[in-house]
Amino acid sequence: MPTGKNGEQPAATSDTWLGKLGPGLITGAADDDPSGIATYSQAGAQFGFGMLWTVCLTFPLMLGIQVISAKIGRVSGHGLATNIRRHYPRSLLYAIVGLLLLANVINIAADVAAMGDALTLIIGGPPHLYAVGFGLLSLLLQVFIPYQKYVRILKWLTLGLLAYVATVLTVHIPWGEVALRTVWPQLAWSAASVTMIVAVFGTTISPYLFFWQASQEVEDLQADSSAQALRRTPEQAPRQFQRIKMDTAIGMGFSNLVAFFIMLTTAVTLGAQGITHIDTSAQAASALRPIAGEFAFALFSLGIIGTGLLAIPVLAGSAAYAMAGAFHWKSSLELAPRAAKKFYGIIVTSTVIGAALCFTPLDPIKALYWSAVINGVISVPIMALMMVMASRPAIMGSLTISRRLRALGWLSTVVMATAVLAMFATMAF
């Protein structure tokens, strides 16, 4: 059992309803990071209600693949990178982890920049310095607060997403038309609409979420002195699988509901006023100000900051878990930094580089675009590997995934592969 950052033994997982929520809730909420908010805002502003249906489709696909990643972690007792290292060629592992690290650093840069811009909109001041401050704050929290306490902070930060639910209440919504267009969209198929569909899928189903949720299941496993990897204690599986299903369903449902509301808000405000080009989440917040009023603007802006504080540790942490698994390093947010120097070194390096990129001529919009391309490219082989791993007794023992979950997981993989092919097709023309 690892010793905590302050020398204490980590506590077991709570049996309360809220205590059972963790990896799935945090993973889902982290998906609505500032870069994701920008994508959803652009979808609503440019296509109105025409993209709302995508959220209804991404929810079950996202739910299926995230449940599979969680089960791999809980059943095997290892994160995704460790399982890939133990069972597949190193060349494949290094390529996946290297691209994941690159994409995550770019995403961190875009997110801290958006948070700095959002705070500048609210109180004025230098956005670059605010961005660095947010990066350092996130870094200090990850390094110096024990995992079990930090998880509670992350859970509270998920409430920041409620800002986007509240924003909807500040504007007029034609709910009848919204319901109709969600199930029966009117969308002109074009290169722009296909590109936006791909962007929504790429933003919603992201590789760093797979690595994070599997690793958090391992963290929770290590934090409970009465628990072992489920392949060794299959009698615990029904209870744990029920928890994983509930936790992930709530997390992914929350994530997709917020994405829906962001699209809806920008559709009825920005899109209705002819503002159809949104590059950043801060730009979306600024454009809301004269249309929806100060309250909606403030809620939207504060939501950017809250979701960024939640997303940055997930991005940096998932990169660190992946690198640690690839090279067999000690890896736990419960360990003191001196006991897992290389693991924390990746967290520090990726966060610092991400914040430092705010001071370079790097175009955050182009950076996000290429980050999305990288995420899209590596998501397909990672998802395919996850499906194979989750079906292998050598990894899962007697607890391989069910036929229904296997079908949903492969459907998600095929849809994502189709989206990536469509992305490359639109880039070629």
Side-chain angles (χ1 to χ4, degrees):
M1 175 66 59
T3 301
K5 291 177 183 175
N6 298 322
E8 76 274 11
Q9 293 292 335
T13 303
S14 171
D15 283 331
T16 65
W17 184 84
L18 182 61
K20 291 178 181 178
L21 299 179
L25 175 65
I26 294 168
T27 301
D31 189 44
D32 292 318
D33 66 330
S35 58
I37 293 167
T39 300
Y40 301 136
S41 297
Q42 177 63 32
Q46 186 174 354
F47 296 98
F49 302 150
M51 286 290 169
L52 294 176
W53 65 273
T54 58
V55 178
C56 299
L57 180 58
T58 56
F59 170 64
L61 301 180
M62 187 184 185
L63 174 60
I65 204 69
Q66 291 297 149
V67 165
I68 290 167
S69 71
K71 285 189 173 184
I72 290 173
R74 195 74 183 198
V75 172
S76 70
H78 301 292
L80 295 184
T82 299
N83 276 305
I84 297 172
R85 174 175 55 80
R86 288 160 62 101
H87 298 280
Y88 298 96
R90 294 294 176 91
S91 57
L92 177 62
L93 170 66
Y94 296 155
I96 287 174
V97 171
L99 288 171
L100 177 74
L101 182 61
L102 175 61
N104 283 13
V105 168
I106 294 173
N107 235 342
I108 289 171
D111 285 351
V112 295
M115 294 162 69
D117 288 341
L119 188 56
T120 297
L121 287 174
I122 297 171
I123 64 174
H128 289 348
L129 291 183
Y130 292 152
V132 171
F134 284 128
L136 291 177
L137 174 62
S138 175
L139 191 57
L140 291 173
L141 291 174
Q142 289 180 85
V143 173
F144 294 108
I145 296 182
Y147 170 73
Q148 292 299 320
K149 293 180 180 178
Y150 190 47
V151 163
R152 288 197 287 272
I153 294 173
L154 293 179
K155 286 182 183 179
W156 282 109
L157 283 174
T158 63
L159 296 178
L161 291 175
L162 293 177
Y164 297 106
V165 179
T167 304
V168 171
L169 303 178
T170 68
V171 295
H172 173 69
I173 305 291
W175 288 109
E177 185 180 357
V178 169
L180 177 63
R181 295 299 168 227
T182 301
V183 298
W184 194 266
Q186 287 184 337
L187 185 67
W189 292 97
S190 63
S193 62
V194 170
T195 300
M196 183 54 65
I197 292 170
V198 171
V200 170
F201 273 88
T203 297
T204 307
I205 303 175
S206 298
Y208 73 90
L209 302 177
F210 314 154
F211 282 86
W212 174 263
Q213 188 163 355
S215 296
Q216 292 312 287
E217 286 293 337
V218 177
E219 288 273 17
D220 284 357
L221 181 66
Q222 293 173 348
D224 188 348
S225 59
S226 65
Q228 298 183 50
L230 292 181
R231 61 172 297 164
R232 297 192 186 94
T233 55
E235 67 278 5
Q236 296 179 2
R239 178 171 175 265
Q240 291 299 330
F241 285 174
Q242 183 180 23
R243 175 194 59 79
I244 286 172
K245 184 177 180 181
M246 178 188 74
D247 180 25
T248 309
I250 291 175
M252 303 312 129
F254 191 29
S255 171
N256 283 268
L257 183 65
V258 169
F260 183 92
F261 281 140
I262 293 170
M263 287 188 195
L264 181 56
T265 298
T266 51
V268 298
T269 55
L270 308 186
Q273 294 293 320
I275 302 172
T276 59
H277 186 75
I278 298 295
D279 286 330
T280 67
S281 52
Q283 185 181 340
S286 181
L288 271 176
R289 193 176 214 159
I291 300 171
E294 289 291 330
F295 187 56
F297 157 76
L299 284 174
F300 205 95
S301 301
L302 290 171
I304 293 168
I305 296 171
T307 58
L309 287 172
L310 177 61
I312 291 172
V314 174
L315 287 159
S318 62
Y321 283 122
M323 288 288 287
F327 295 101
H328 204 192
W329 300 337
K330 289 182 179 178
S331 61
S332 173
L333 289 170
E334 192 67 51
L335 291 172
R338 64 181 177 275
K341 294 179 181 177
K342 295 177 181 178
F343 172 73
Y344 282 101
I346 297 298
I347 291 177
V348 171
T349 302
S350 58
T351 305
V352 168
I353 292 176
L357 287 175
C358 295
F359 291 90
T360 69
L362 180 72
D363 185 336
I365 308 308
K366 290 182 179 178
L368 270 180
Y369 173 78
W370 287 108
S371 174
V373 170
I374 293 170
N375 276 326
V377 169
I378 64 174
S379 65
V380 177
I382 293 173
M383 292 166 74
L385 271 177
M386 286 169 55
M387 294 309 304
V388 174
M389 286 192 289
S391 303
R392 284 188 64 179
I395 296 173
M396 304 290 284
S398 61
L399 298 173
T400 55
I401 58 174
S402 65
R403 289 183 179 178
R404 184 171 63 177
L405 187 55
R406 189 178 300 129
L408 182 58
W410 278 116
L411 176 62
S412 182
T413 305
V414 170
V415 169
M416 199 64 200
T418 303
V420 170
L421 290 174
M423 176 181 65
F424 284 122
T426 55
M427 289 169 61
F429 293 101

